[in-house]
Amino acid sequence: MSSNNSYCKNVESLPKKFDSINKMIAKSMRPISEKLDAISKQITNIFSNFDFSYLNELGRELKNVTDDIIKFKTIIVELGYPPHEDIAITDIRRIVADYAGFGEEYVRSYLDDLMFEIYDETYLDHILLPEFDSFEAILGK
């Protein structure tokens, strides 16, 4: 019976022991928690003073660029060219603006020269020679 009594006392003392362990853990974690709170406040202060309004402008500009790329592909095909992926965004936006402002004939008047400027001999060699070499390797010549 004595062992049962001892067992019961041990079981009854468990909540006190767990409470003691929890207090020790809380005490040892307090400095860490305080440091994390301080860091969190610093981060909050940094971002509370930061102006994110430019992100709205950036979003609008990205939408405009996307719209211009879609318009450019339509315009370029209408003018008899295949859609291009290698034209600088500044040229794409200029073509779209010129097409809207001055019309098809105006864009057509400079588009060939622009294409020759972009797709010069060096560029074409860089693009076409590797493909030609791979065809040559496939054909065994």
Side-chain angles (χ1 to χ4, degrees):
M1 180 94 162
S2 166
S3 66
N4 267 349
N5 197 11
S6 174
Y7 175 76
C8 288
K9 284 184 182 181
N10 282 335
V11 170
E12 288 173 357
S13 70
L14 282 178
K16 288 181 183 178
K17 289 180 181 177
F18 283 127
D19 188 45
S20 175
I21 291 170
N22 282 336
K23 286 179 183 176
M24 286 189 322
I25 292 173
K27 185 178 179 181
S28 65
M29 294 296 290
R30 189 171 296 126
I32 296 170
S33 177
E34 289 170 356
K35 294 242 186 239
L36 288 174
D37 284 345
I39 291 170
S40 175
K41 286 177 185 173
Q42 286 177 343
I43 291 171
T44 301
N45 287 338
I46 289 169
F47 284 111
S48 68
N49 296 324
F50 199 73
D51 181 16
F52 288 104
S53 63
Y54 75 94
L55 292 176
N56 290 329
E57 178 64 28
L58 180 61
R60 281 190 294 277
E61 191 59 27
L62 287 173
K63 168 109 175 63
N64 291 338
V65 168
T66 302
D67 292 346
D68 282 350
I69 290 170
I70 292 168
K71 290 174 188 173
F72 166 77
K73 289 183 178 192
T74 302
I75 291 166
I76 207 78
V77 169
E78 283 178 11
L79 295 176
Y81 290 91
H84 295 273
E85 302 292 331
D86 299 325
I87 296 180
I89 195 65
T90 52
D91 290 330
I92 288 173
R93 297 197 84 187
R94 182 181 65 155
I95 290 167
V96 170
D98 286 350
Y99 192 89
F102 303 110
E104 179 181 325
E105 289 307 313
Y106 180 77
V107 172
R108 190 182 300 278
S109 72
Y110 69 79
L111 196 55
D112 283 341
D113 291 336
L114 178 64
M115 292 299 166
F116 283 123
E117 186 180 308
I118 295 169
Y119 297 101
D120 63 3
E121 183 177 345
T122 304
Y123 180 85
L124 292 175
D125 284 347
H126 176 74
I127 296 298
L128 297 177
L129 284 180
E131 287 186 29
F132 181 75
D133 290 342
S134 66
F135 285 130
E136 202 172 59
I138 291 170
L139 296 175
K141 297 185 177 192

